Amino acid sequence: MTTARTAPTAHTAGTAHTAGTARTADTARTADASGVARIALVGDRSPHVMSHTRIPLLLDALAARDGLVLDAYWIPTGDAAAEAAAGTLAGFDAVWVLPGSPYASEAGALAAIRVAREEGIPFLGTCGGFQHTLLEYARSVCGLADVAHAENDPGARDPLIAPLACSLVGHEGLVRAEPGSLAEAALGAERSMERYHCNYGPAPRHLPALTAHGLRLSGHDEDGQARIAELPGHPFFLATLFQPELQGDTARPHPIIRALAVAAARHAAGRRRDGVGAGLAATPAASRSAG
């Protein structure tokens, strides 16, 4: 079984534990140097969030079906800003900002997204991750410092992420990817039926500012509403309002999740080739819990 762990942090010293077995910091460093791609799962893990319960099974399926082994670390949003500031997040081979908003820390989610964007780390944001990806880009790149997420700030005068006119909780709908986009390449098709579980989405009036500053809205639903965003020139940077982790029975991971795993493996291979040490190995090991 794939084990999802709690990320080692710069401010927590001691031994590492996996499934109740003590491991020393030296053992953790050996594992970090092994070349296995490491993925940061950023979100406030809960047994009540279906995507959270399915992700360990999807990671197992990736390993069994495709030989794509990902060493997964869960990072609560409340810890993510500190992990970003300490450089720990920059040591991962992929970052996935998960559903489950409102997050305990909006700032933590945004910090994780920014590290992945600026450091060229393969990135996926789904549902709340998509919403916060747009928010991070608007504030950090477009200079729209005052835009807000209405779920986090219900009284916001100028929300970038606003309540949807029609809830998408439990909805399934067609998404069309733009030809030649990363979205199309990851999906392996121009059209795909996707599942949602959200009440918030981007306010259309702000989208021209995002695209004018380089973000590509590369997937839309049948009404023309933006459902996928990507960043051209980045090794792999994709965000979807739908939840690919909800598709199927977990035995066959969604093509987008597989594409993220491939990008993470490529990143890890490049790190080995370039002789770049793992960011996690430079920090004291903390407790790890089985996923």
Side-chain angles (χ1 to χ4, degrees):
M1 292 285 289
T2 299
T3 300
R5 306 177 175 91
T6 301
T9 60
H11 55 274
T12 306
T15 58
H17 297 78
T18 301
T21 302
R23 301 174 65 196
T24 65
D26 287 340
T27 302
R29 291 188 179 93
T30 300
D32 291 338
S34 69
V36 173
R38 296 184 313 281
I39 182 171
L41 304 174
V42 179
D44 303 312
R45 192 178 187 185
S46 169
H48 305 297
V49 178
M50 185 179 296
S51 66
H52 295 185
T53 65
R54 289 169 63 92
I55 284 171
L57 302 176
L58 292 169
L59 297 180
D60 285 340
L62 283 170
R65 289 176 55 86
D66 302 299
L68 293 166
V69 179
L70 298 179
D71 190 12
Y73 290 72
W74 291 80
I75 300 180
T77 60
D79 295 339
E83 301 291 354
T88 306
L89 276 172
F92 283 94
D93 299 300
V95 174
W96 185 351
V97 177
L98 304 171
S101 60
Y103 299 128
S105 171
E106 175 185 277
L110 298 180
I113 294 164
R114 183 167 186 169
V115 166
R117 178 176 60 79
E118 293 184 340
E119 299 294 334
I121 300 169
F123 171 81
L124 178 63
T126 56
C127 195
F130 169 90
Q131 297 159 12
H132 286 73
T133 296
L134 300 192
L135 189 63
E136 191 279 327
Y137 203 82
R139 291 180 179 175
S140 299
V141 179
C142 304
L144 301 176
D146 295 329
V147 296
H149 191 310
E151 187 176 33
N152 304 332
D153 185 2
R157 298 178 58 184
D158 190 24
L160 172 72
I161 306 300
L164 295 166
C166 295
S167 171
L168 291 177
V169 172
H171 177 74
E172 186 174 67
L174 184 70
V175 174
R176 298 177 185 271
E178 291 187 359
S181 64
L182 172 61
E184 183 188 45
L187 286 169
E190 182 185 349
R191 297 154 50 99
S192 180
M193 289 296 296
E194 301 295 347
R195 295 184 62 185
Y196 296 83
H197 195 84
C198 58
N199 289 308
Y200 293 84
R205 68 182 178 277
H206 286 300
L207 297 183
L210 300 182
T211 58
H213 284 81
L215 194 70
R216 183 177 185 183
L217 302 175
S218 56
H220 298 80
D221 67 10
E222 292 184 284
D223 296 324
Q225 300 299 309
R227 297 295 179 248
I228 308 176
E230 63 186 67
L231 186 59
H234 191 284
F236 187 98
F237 192 94
L238 199 65
T240 69
L241 187 61
F242 56 86
Q243 294 189 26
E245 61 274 12
L246 296 183
Q247 187 184 84
D249 61 1
T250 71
R252 294 177 178 270
H254 191 286
I256 284 179
I257 296 174
R258 186 182 184 281
L260 176 68
V262 170
R266 187 179 302 120
H267 189 274
R271 177 164 50 83
R272 292 196 304 273
R273 183 181 63 250
D274 298 338
V276 177
L280 294 179
T283 65
S287 63
R288 299 179 178 181
S289 58

